Amino acid sequence: MKKNMSLLLAIMLVTVLVLSACGKKEEPAKDGAAAPKASAPASTVRLGIFKNVTHAPGYVALEQGLFQKYWGENVKIEVTAFDNGSDFSTALATDQIDLGYTGPGPATNQFLKSKNFRIVSGSNNGGAVLVAAKDSGITSPKDLLGKTVAIPTKGSTNEISLRLLLKENNLNVTTDKTGVQIIARAPADTLIAMRQKEIEATLVPEPWGTQMEQEGIGKIIVDWNKIPPNNGDYPLTLLAASDKFLKEHRDMVKQAIKANADAVDFIKKNPDKSYELINNRLKALSGKGMEINLIKAAISRLNLTTDVNKAAIEEMAKVSIDAGYIKDIKKEELDLSKFLDLSLLEEVKAGK
């Protein structure tokens, strides 16, 4: 009888333990949130990038197979080349691409409309220069009074820098000779216009300024490290990802941040090898390459970094508000806290 009772008690104890284990809730993460489940990798990643040397880390990451290394050989990478940030930001907001490289100006403007993508890492700070045409008589920004200055596209980061530069020199943007007129032209068209003496100055990303100077048709009068904001140390190229891709494949976004960081490190340690890699990708994206000496000169005017200067982005956004590119938002109401999601970047820097 005692044996039967002991056996029955043992069975009941095992049953209780099993039921307790089955009903146990998932342990929360240390911050109190439920631990996220690992998502299945995407079979295809749609990546956007500009046809511009200032996007050098993205070029090297593609040429060195760094994205493929982190995402795996079974992931197909579809690369879409863009001419400007407005087109890129629209594509990201409308689910035409998943992530990629862009400038802060157009990205900020689009985010405040759609609020469905985030900046996840830096890539390059600075790299734009102010060039005056030969025989224009322009030797400093103050000489731009009554002149017409070209920028790549309306609302671009380059236009924001130009507006800040003009403000520093007490010059206004106008539509007549009482101030400075701004026109939008693609850098390649600006180069031709400079050759034909149709424009007097331009604020453009490298290597266009160096090319104009080397051809003898223009002269750099404000170098990259004097261009506002923050004397050239402002984000010019950033890595952005859509909210959808972040939600469904956050781990892959983290891997993209690692690939970008590896590319930045590679260029710094292997500049000579990088020039050819950059040229190869430039050929693939635009159909034509560039002289290595131009690429070298352009890279020397870039501050390649994964850091993101939030204050500089906010300052540029306020210029966009004043210019009318960002509507229905007052400068004192500007909130870009959700525009930047640097949590994954911080994890990568911490070696996680």
Side-chain angles (χ1 to χ4, degrees):
M1 184 69 176
K2 289 182 178 179
K3 289 183 178 180
N4 291 338
M5 285 295 294
S6 297
L7 181 60
L8 180 61
L9 288 170
I11 292 172
M12 290 175 66
L13 179 61
V14 171
T15 302
V16 170
L17 290 172
V18 170
L19 290 174
S20 297
C22 291
K24 187 177 181 180
K25 293 182 179 179
E26 183 179 328
E27 287 294 324
K30 289 183 179 180
D31 61 0
K37 295 181 180 179
S39 58
S43 58
T44 300
V45 179
R46 302 165 298 171
L47 187 147
I49 199 166
F50 290 12
K51 308 169 190 174
N52 200 312
V53 177
T54 53
H55 288 227
Y59 288 9
V60 170
L62 288 167
E63 287 296 306
Q64 288 286 89
L66 297 175
F67 291 117
Q68 206 78 66
K69 167 189 169 183
Y70 285 109
W71 288 337
E73 293 299 323
N74 293 329
V75 175
K76 180 182 178 183
I77 302 174
E78 294 181 352
V79 180
T80 300
F82 292 89
D83 291 312
N84 58 70
S86 296
D87 291 344
F88 173 96
S89 299
T90 299
L92 187 62
T94 55
D95 196 31
Q96 297 175 54
I97 56 175
D98 300 308
L99 78 168
Y101 295 84
T102 187
T108 305
N109 300 352
Q110 179 61 54
F111 169 79
L112 291 170
K113 297 175 187 175
S114 60
K115 293 184 174 63
N116 63 352
F117 62 88
R118 302 287 182 270
I119 298 301
V120 295
S121 175
S123 186
N124 167 58
N125 281 7
V129 293
L130 180 68
V131 184
K134 183 182 179 181
D135 303 325
S136 65
I138 301 171
T139 59
S140 74
K142 291 185 181 299
D143 297 326
L144 295 175
L145 179 65
K147 310 294 186 183
T148 299
V149 185
I151 42 91
T153 185
K154 287 289 185 180
S156 65
T157 306
N158 296 140
E159 181 184 351
I160 293 169
S161 288
L162 176 60
R163 286 177 175 271
L164 284 169
L165 185 63
L166 296 177
K167 186 177 181 180
E168 286 179 0
N169 288 274
N170 299 313
L171 295 173
N172 297 319
V173 177
T174 62
T175 56
D176 55 31
K177 297 291 184 179
T178 63
V180 179
Q181 299 181 67
I182 298 176
I183 62 170
R185 287 194 181 182
D189 295 333
T190 298
L191 177 65
I192 295 170
M194 192 74 84
R195 286 171 180 161
Q196 297 175 348
K197 299 183 178 181
E198 294 176 357
I199 61 171
E200 297 159 302
T202 179
L203 199 150
V204 286
E206 281 287 65
W208 298 101
T210 295
Q211 186 167 353
M212 292 173 191
E213 194 164 62
Q214 289 186 358
E215 284 190 19
I217 59 175
K219 180 176 178 58
I220 295 174
I221 61 169
V222 180
D223 211 339
W224 75 278
N225 57 358
K226 293 294 185 293
I227 296 290
N230 207 29
N231 288 325
D233 193 21
Y234 60 89
L236 188 70
T237 310
L238 297 161
L239 185 63
S242 72
D243 282 0
K244 179 182 177 184
F245 197 73
L246 269 166
K247 180 180 179 181
E248 296 176 357
H249 306 290
R250 193 169 177 83
D251 52 340
M252 295 187 76
V253 176
K254 184 175 180 178
Q255 290 159 352
I257 293 171
K258 289 181 179 180
N260 174 67
D262 286 356
V264 167
D265 188 55
F266 182 90
I267 296 171
K268 289 180 177 179
K269 293 179 178 178
N270 307 277
D272 291 336
K273 292 181 181 179
S274 300
Y275 304 145
E276 196 60 48
L277 295 173
I278 293 166
N279 196 37
N280 290 342
R281 182 54 54 167
L282 194 60
K283 287 178 185 177
L285 295 176
S286 65
K288 58 182 179 180
M290 184 176 290
E291 294 180 13
I292 296 299
N293 69 311
L294 284 176
I295 296 175
K296 183 177 181 178
I299 296 299
S300 71
R301 285 190 164 104
L302 307 182
N303 177 17
L304 301 175
T305 177
T306 59
D307 292 339
V308 179
N309 188 327
K310 181 184 177 183
I313 291 176
E314 289 175 341
E315 182 179 357
M316 289 187 280
K318 290 175 181 177
V319 175
S320 290
I321 292 174
D322 287 337
Y325 294 121
I326 297 176
K327 302 182 185 298
D328 303 323
I329 296 177
K330 296 178 181 179
K331 285 191 284 188
E332 58 271 20
E333 297 172 348
L334 182 68
D335 181 9
L336 296 179
S337 58
K338 294 182 179 179
F339 181 46
L340 307 177
D341 180 359
L342 304 179
S343 58
L344 291 175
L345 175 62
E346 290 168 2
E347 289 180 17
V348 169
K349 287 184 175 183
K352 297 179 181 178

